[in-house]
PDB file of all heavy atoms in Angstrom:
ATOM      1  N   THR X 559      78.418  38.703 116.659  1.00 91.00           N
ATOM      2  CA  THR X 559      78.232  38.949 115.224  1.00 91.00           C
ATOM      3  C   THR X 559      79.534  38.793 114.439  1.00 91.00           C
ATOM      4  O   THR X 559      79.595  39.135 113.266  1.00 91.00           O
ATOM      5  CB  THR X 559      77.677  40.374 115.016  1.00 91.00           C
ATOM      6  OG1 THR X 559      78.532  41.267 115.730  1.00 91.00           O
ATOM      7  CG2 THR X 559      76.272  40.511 115.522  1.00 91.00           C
ATOM      8  N   LYS X 560      80.562  38.305 115.126  1.00 89.00           N
ATOM      9  CA  LYS X 560      81.867  38.068 114.493  1.00 89.00           C
ATOM     10  C   LYS X 560      82.417  39.325 113.818  1.00 89.00           C
ATOM     11  O   LYS X 560      82.970  39.293 112.721  1.00 89.00           O
ATOM     12  CB  LYS X 560      81.783  36.925 113.478  1.00 89.00           C
ATOM     13  CG  LYS X 560      81.437  35.586 114.093  1.00 89.00           C
ATOM     14  CD  LYS X 560      81.931  34.459 113.199  1.00 89.00           C
ATOM     15  CE  LYS X 560      81.890  33.109 113.845  1.00 89.00           C
ATOM     16  NZ  LYS X 560      80.701  32.756 114.612  1.00 89.00           N
ATOM     17  N   LEU X 561      82.241  40.455 114.482  1.00 91.00           N
ATOM     18  CA  LEU X 561      82.791  41.713 113.966  1.00 91.00           C
ATOM     19  C   LEU X 561      84.180  41.944 114.556  1.00 91.00           C
ATOM     20  O   LEU X 561      84.466  41.474 115.664  1.00 91.00           O
ATOM     21  CB  LEU X 561      81.889  42.889 114.354  1.00 91.00           C
ATOM     22  CG  LEU X 561      80.593  43.050 113.553  1.00 91.00           C
ATOM     23  CD1 LEU X 561      79.711  44.101 114.196  1.00 91.00           C
ATOM     24  CD2 LEU X 561      80.916  43.439 112.112  1.00 91.00           C
ATOM     25  N   PRO X 562      85.040  42.678 113.844  1.00 92.00           N
ATOM     26  CA  PRO X 562      86.369  42.955 114.409  1.00 92.00           C
ATOM     27  C   PRO X 562      86.292  44.092 115.436  1.00 92.00           C
ATOM     28  O   PRO X 562      85.200  44.505 115.816  1.00 92.00           O
ATOM     29  CB  PRO X 562      87.181  43.397 113.185  1.00 92.00           C
ATOM     30  CG  PRO X 562      86.171  44.010 112.276  1.00 92.00           C
ATOM     31  CD  PRO X 562      84.870  43.292 112.533  1.00 92.00           C
ATOM     32  N   ASN X 563      87.431  44.565 115.870  1.00 94.00           N
ATOM     33  CA  ASN X 563      87.547  45.753 116.738  1.00 94.00           C
ATOM     34  C   ASN X 563      87.096  45.542 118.182  1.00 94.00           C
ATOM     35  O   ASN X 563      86.371  46.363 118.749  1.00 94.00           O
ATOM     36  CB  ASN X 563      86.780  46.973 116.174  1.00 94.00           C
ATOM     37  CG  ASN X 563      87.113  47.330 114.749  1.00 94.00           C
ATOM     38  OD1 ASN X 563      86.235  47.719 113.998  1.00 94.00           O
ATOM     39  ND2 ASN X 563      88.355  47.195 114.356  1.00 94.00           N
ATOM     40  N   GLN X 564      87.493  44.419 118.781  1.00 96.00           N
ATOM     41  CA  GLN X 564      87.291  44.263 120.230  1.00 96.00           C
ATOM     42  C   GLN X 564      88.086  45.348 120.948  1.00 96.00           C
ATOM     43  O   GLN X 564      89.154  45.755 120.468  1.00 96.00           O
ATOM     44  CB  GLN X 564      87.822  42.897 120.682  1.00 96.00           C
ATOM     45  CG  GLN X 564      87.057  41.710 120.154  1.00 96.00           C
ATOM     46  CD  GLN X 564      85.898  41.312 121.071  1.00 96.00           C
ATOM     47  OE1 GLN X 564      85.821  41.773 122.206  1.00 96.00           O
ATOM     48  NE2 GLN X 564      84.997  40.480 120.578  1.00 96.00           N
ATOM     49  N   ILE X 565      87.576  45.810 122.074  1.00 96.00           N
ATOM     50  CA  ILE X 565      88.323  46.832 122.824  1.00 96.00           C
ATOM     51  C   ILE X 565      88.765  46.264 124.175  1.00 96.00           C
ATOM     52  O   ILE X 565      87.936  45.799 124.964  1.00 96.00           O
ATOM     53  CB  ILE X 565      87.473  48.103 123.057  1.00 96.00           C
ATOM     54  CG1 ILE X 565      87.061  48.718 121.704  1.00 96.00           C
ATOM     55  CG2 ILE X 565      88.257  49.135 123.878  1.00 96.00           C
ATOM     56  CD1 ILE X 565      86.222  49.980 121.808  1.00 96.00           C
ATOM     57  N   ALA X 566      90.067  46.311 124.421  1.00 95.00           N
ATOM     58  CA  ALA X 566      90.608  45.902 125.732  1.00 95.00           C
ATOM     59  C   ALA X 566      91.093  47.154 126.453  1.00 95.00           C
ATOM     60  O   ALA X 566      91.424  48.154 125.813  1.00 95.00           O
ATOM     61  CB  ALA X 566      91.769  44.943 125.524  1.00 95.00           C
ATOM     62  N   VAL X 567      91.118  47.087 127.789  1.00 94.00           N
ATOM     63  CA  VAL X 567      91.544  48.259 128.554  1.00 94.00           C
ATOM     64  C   VAL X 567      92.707  47.893 129.467  1.00 94.00           C
ATOM     65  O   VAL X 567      92.691  46.849 130.114  1.00 94.00           O
ATOM     66  CB  VAL X 567      90.367  48.805 129.404  1.00 94.00           C
ATOM     67  CG1 VAL X 567      90.843  49.921 130.320  1.00 94.00           C
ATOM     68  CG2 VAL X 567      89.253  49.324 128.495  1.00 94.00           C
ATOM     69  N   ILE X 568      93.712  48.768 129.497  1.00 92.00           N
ATOM     70  CA  ILE X 568      94.779  48.619 130.503  1.00 92.00           C
ATOM     71  C   ILE X 568      94.631  49.779 131.467  1.00 92.00           C
ATOM     72  O   ILE X 568      94.725  50.942 131.067  1.00 92.00           O
ATOM     73  CB  ILE X 568      96.176  48.654 129.858  1.00 92.00           C
ATOM     74  CG1 ILE X 568      96.363  47.441 128.950  1.00 92.00           C
ATOM     75  CG2 ILE X 568      97.260  48.705 130.926  1.00 92.00           C
ATOM     76  CD1 ILE X 568      97.688  47.419 128.200  1.00 92.00           C
ATOM     77  N   GLU X 569      94.360  49.426 132.733  1.00 89.00           N
ATOM     78  CA  GLU X 569      94.233  50.467 133.765  1.00 89.00           C
ATOM     79  C   GLU X 569      95.559  50.554 134.503  1.00 89.00           C
ATOM     80  O   GLU X 569      95.888  49.673 135.303  1.00 89.00           O
ATOM     81  CB  GLU X 569      93.153  50.055 134.759  1.00 89.00           C
ATOM     82  CG  GLU X 569      91.832  50.700 134.542  1.00 89.00           C
ATOM     83  CD  GLU X 569      90.865  50.283 135.639  1.00 89.00           C
ATOM     84  OE1 GLU X 569      90.328  49.164 135.552  1.00 89.00           O
ATOM     85  OE2 GLU X 569      90.672  51.075 136.567  1.00 89.00           O
ATOM     86  N   LEU X 570      96.297  51.618 134.264  1.00 84.00           N
ATOM     87  CA  LEU X 570      97.649  51.685 134.834  1.00 84.00           C
ATOM     88  C   LEU X 570      97.641  51.739 136.352  1.00 84.00           C
ATOM     89  O   LEU X 570      98.565  51.285 137.009  1.00 84.00           O
ATOM     90  CB  LEU X 570      98.388  52.903 134.267  1.00 84.00           C
ATOM     91  CG  LEU X 570      98.774  52.775 132.796  1.00 84.00           C
ATOM     92  CD1 LEU X 570      99.336  54.085 132.283  1.00 84.00           C
ATOM     93  CD2 LEU X 570      99.788  51.665 132.583  1.00 84.00           C
TER      94      LEU X 570
END
Side-chain angles (χ1 to χ4, degrees):
T559 52
K560 296 204 168 44
L561 284 171
N563 307 142
Q564 293 271 347
I565 300 180
V567 173
I568 295 177
E569 260 184 281
L570 289 173

